[in-house]
Amino acid sequence: MKKTTKQIDFLGRYGYVILSVIFFVLLALYNQTQDSITFNNGEGFDGVKYVDVVEQMRAGEPVAGPAPFVYRLATPYLTSLLPYSILNSYFIINSFFALISGLLLFYWLKKTLGKPLVAFGFVIYLFLHWQASLRFTVFYPADCDPLAIIFVMLGLILLQKLNEHFTWKKVMLLSALIFIGVFQREFILSIAFGIPFLGNCFKIENGQITINKALFIRNLKAFLPVFIVSLLGIWITHLLVITLENGYGFIHAIYRWMHQKSVFMLLAGFFYTLGILLIFPFLFPKSAVSVFKKHVYLVPILAIALALAWISGGDTERFILWYCPIYFLVIGQVLVDNKSFFLRKRVWIPTLISLVLTLRVFWQIPQYYLDYEGVSYPFFAVFGEDNFSDILATHATKWVTTANLILYLLLSLYFVYWRFVDKIRNMIRWQ
């Protein structure tokens, strides 16, 4: 017991250094083994717009481009300050953001879970994930997600501190953070919706909701100015640029994806992002619910996160990773509370094997091809002569996504069986 405690203390103290070393080792490894995207001369899809913004900033021209990409000014501005080619500058700055987001995730999970080892494991998971900032930046450098994830993590850290001890100074700091954050991505505004639920404002006991009126009014007084300042930031981003007509409409995009993205695609996207870990909170719902009883402010943010995963667009996995700290916290609490179950060989071995496949740990991120006639083989991820579109749940060939979803559901049933094995055996009698 003492030896384990010492190991945990060591990890809590030196975890940041160890994670930084692992990050640079993996970054060097991926640079040698992962080819950059070749589509649109290495600029990718949305990256074409972000490269255009940097070119205009460096030339001292007014920034003009299609919505909503042209409003995302923070990363392109920082990129424009570096004296390298645009793609190399994006790679350098987004790699830096990937490191910082990993260290912030370690800090937040270590504080909320109180288990440095579990927090450490989730950061490694993030470093190995093909869609997360570290690996994806090597493949697709012209991206604006890595810094946005930092704003999410900083916002969650501040909300946690406010939840423990409310001060108006922290509210002002959170307001400034979100105001700057919306210059990066508009969805940073979602962090503000946790403010009305701070403290013990809401309690649920015996099916009855109790609201502390004084706390609720205080929280609303804190929320309104933060929300208004955040909207002001979004308005300023629209004033600073020239929006070119491209047929984009926010309401139209929501309507389109509500109808186009099925529940099956959405569920497959969650499995593609979180792997079989997704099923664990449903096996131990009390542990999962305990997180939201302690951190009620996460409930509205999670609701927004789930909605954005559905209606924001086709890249479901990317939208889920925006809010990965919340998902990791819930899963982590389940792991901590039910350690004896997850340490069984029949549980951790298939979990580990499936995660290696989900994350594509030993496989490159494939190129995107317009004209493609290769064969993809689904097995918890997509392998073979795969196309980039096939490793995304929404964009893949339907039979590929369906086959993988079935595999995840079958593995889920395997864990359901071992979770409730005694009850199942008592229900079934052989004669």
Side-chain angles (χ1 to χ4, degrees), residues 96-363:
F96 173 72
F97 293 150
L99 171 62
I100 299 304
S101 63
L103 299 181
L104 287 173
L105 178 64
F106 180 65
Y107 172 83
W108 191 67
L109 289 178
K110 185 161 64 77
K111 291 291 184 182
T112 49
L113 287 174
K115 300 292 181 181
L117 185 60
V118 177
F120 188 90
F122 278 114
V123 178
I124 297 300
Y125 182 94
L126 198 66
F127 284 171
L128 293 176
H129 202 299
W130 69 267
Q131 180 79 79
S133 299
L134 171 53
R135 287 186 64 182
F136 201 69
T137 294
V138 178
F139 173 69
Y140 192 131
D143 190 18
C144 281
D145 280 359
L147 179 56
I149 295 172
I150 288 179
F151 279 108
V152 171
M153 292 184 182
L154 287 173
L156 292 175
I157 289 169
L158 274 173
L159 282 175
Q160 180 202 357
K161 292 184 179 297
L162 276 165
N163 196 52
E164 294 171 350
H165 179 62
F166 184 96
T167 66
W168 287 102
K169 185 177 180 180
K170 293 174 186 174
V171 173
M172 292 174 62
L173 189 59
L174 181 62
S175 179
L177 176 74
I178 298 176
F179 175 79
I180 298 170
V182 296
F183 281 78
Q184 175 62 27
R185 291 298 297 257
E186 305 84 345
F187 73 84
I188 305 300
L189 174 63
S190 63
I191 299 298
F193 288 89
I195 298 174
F197 297 82
L198 290 171
N200 294 317
C201 183
F202 291 84
K203 288 184 178 180
I204 302 176
E205 294 180 356
N206 300 321
Q208 185 174 8
I209 301 175
T210 304
I211 303 175
N212 186 314
K213 185 177 179 180
L215 277 180
F216 184 63
I217 292 173
R218 182 206 68 181
N219 290 346
L220 281 181
K221 288 180 179 178
F223 167 74
L224 289 175
V226 174
F227 183 68
I228 292 170
V229 167
S230 303
L231 291 179
L232 177 64
I234 293 175
W235 181 62
I236 292 173
T237 63
H238 287 57
L239 291 179
L240 290 175
V241 301
I242 301 169
T243 307
L244 302 180
E245 184 63 38
N246 68 330
Y248 171 82
F250 180 66
I251 301 300
H252 173 73
I254 291 176
Y255 181 79
R256 172 193 171 191
W257 287 107
M258 282 179 65
H259 290 269
Q260 191 167 326
K261 187 185 294 184
S262 68
V263 175
F264 301 106
M265 288 180 180
L266 182 63
L267 181 57
F270 270 94
F271 274 123
Y272 278 25
T273 311
L274 301 174
I276 199 60
L277 301 178
L278 175 66
I279 195 66
F280 293 167
F282 298 97
L283 297 181
F284 298 94
K286 287 185 179 180
S287 294
V289 170
S290 70
V291 172
F292 298 107
K293 285 184 177 180
K294 186 177 180 181
H295 306 279
V296 183
Y297 61 91
L298 292 178
V299 173
I301 301 175
L302 177 63
I304 294 171
L306 294 172
L308 289 177
W310 181 25
I311 64 176
S312 289
D315 300 343
T316 308
E317 297 83 356
R318 188 161 56 90
F319 308 141
I320 295 168
L321 281 173
W322 287 349
Y323 296 92
C324 65
I326 300 176
Y327 300 116
F328 288 163
L329 175 61
V330 176
I331 295 167
Q333 191 63 59
V334 170
L335 296 175
V336 169
D337 291 347
N338 306 279
K339 184 170 65 174
S340 60
F341 174 79
F342 293 106
L343 288 178
R344 298 175 184 175
K345 289 183 179 179
R346 63 172 66 101
V347 174
W348 73 261
I349 290 178
T351 298
L352 182 61
I353 294 172
S354 69
L355 290 181
V356 168
L357 296 169
T358 298
L359 302 180
R360 296 176 57 93
V361 172
F362 302 112
W363 294 270

